[in-house]
Amino acid sequence: MARVVVDVMLKPEILDPQGQAVANALPRLGVDDVSSVRIGRRVEIEFDGEIDLDRVNEIADKLLANPVIEDFTVNVAEVA
Amino acid sequence: MARVVVDVMLKPEILDPQGQAVANALPRLGVDDVSSVRIGRRVEIEFDGEIDLDRVNEIADKLLANPVIEDFTVNVAEVA
């Protein structure tokens, strides 16, 4: 079994209101040295057999991310 | 500047309908050897100064994750 992690984040030039809301809430917790918060998605995919990274990239591009506004990175997390 | 990444995932025993929907869509892309898909949040926090991991854990616990149904992990991503 093998696990791939796909991280999907908004492109840097796209506003992230969800992250902004968290950043604005931090001073209420006494945290005032945070310059930026960005929130994206982490997708963990478990394969039965071998990982085909080309196919994972295709899955991420077609199904997991919106390439117009989002970037994604693919990492092989573990092979057990 | 330093960046911390907080990954928030549903606990393993909590059903993940969003991940299940992706898993169900994969055969339509010709992928049939995926056993599980779980979708969570990736939060990137940029600090102006030093990282206080105790404080990051407090932020994650109080603001980013719902500890009843979610687990989180904190990773220091880079120090530039």
Side-chain angles (χ1 to χ4, degrees):
Chain A
M1 195 145 74
R3 176 183 290 179
V4 176
V5 175
V6 180
D7 289 317
V8 182
M9 301 297 292
L10 285 168
K11 288 180 193 280
E13 66 269 26
I14 306 285
L15 283 178
D16 176 3
Q18 194 183 4
Q20 195 60 47
V22 170
N24 291 343
L26 286 176
R28 277 186 265 140
L29 285 177
V31 178
D32 45 20
D33 57 350
V34 165
S35 54
S36 152
V37 178
R38 309 277 293 173
I39 299 184
R41 287 190 303 287
R42 173 187 168 93
V43 185
E44 296 180 353
I45 305 173
E46 279 186 15
F47 283 86
D48 288 328
E50 289 292 300
I51 296 172
D52 179 345
L53 280 182
D54 287 343
R55 216 159 47 159
V56 174
N57 274 294
E58 189 195 345
I59 293 170
D61 192 57
K62 289 191 177 171
L63 204 58
L64 302 178
N66 175 352
V68 177
I69 58 168
E70 292 170 328
D71 291 324
F72 64 85
T73 56
V74 174
N75 301 293
V76 178
E78 67 190 63
V79 180
Chain B
M1 195 145 74
R3 177 183 289 180
V4 175
V5 176
V6 180
D7 290 317
V8 182
M9 302 297 293
L10 285 169
K11 288 179 193 281
E13 65 269 26
I14 305 286
L15 283 177
D16 177 4
Q18 194 182 4
Q20 196 58 49
V22 169
N24 291 343
L26 286 176
R28 276 186 265 140
L29 286 177
V31 179
D32 46 19
D33 58 349
V34 166
S35 55
S36 152
V37 178
R38 308 277 294 173
I39 299 184
R41 288 191 303 288
R42 174 189 168 90
V43 185
E44 297 179 353
I45 305 173
E46 280 184 16
F47 283 84
D48 289 327
E50 290 291 300
I51 297 172
D52 179 344
L53 280 181
D54 287 342
R55 213 158 49 158
V56 174
N57 273 294
E58 188 194 346
I59 294 170
D61 192 58
K62 290 193 177 171
L63 203 60
L64 302 177
N66 176 351
V68 177
I69 59 168
E70 291 170 330
D71 290 324
F72 64 85
T73 57
V74 173
N75 301 293
V76 177
E78 67 191 63
V79 180

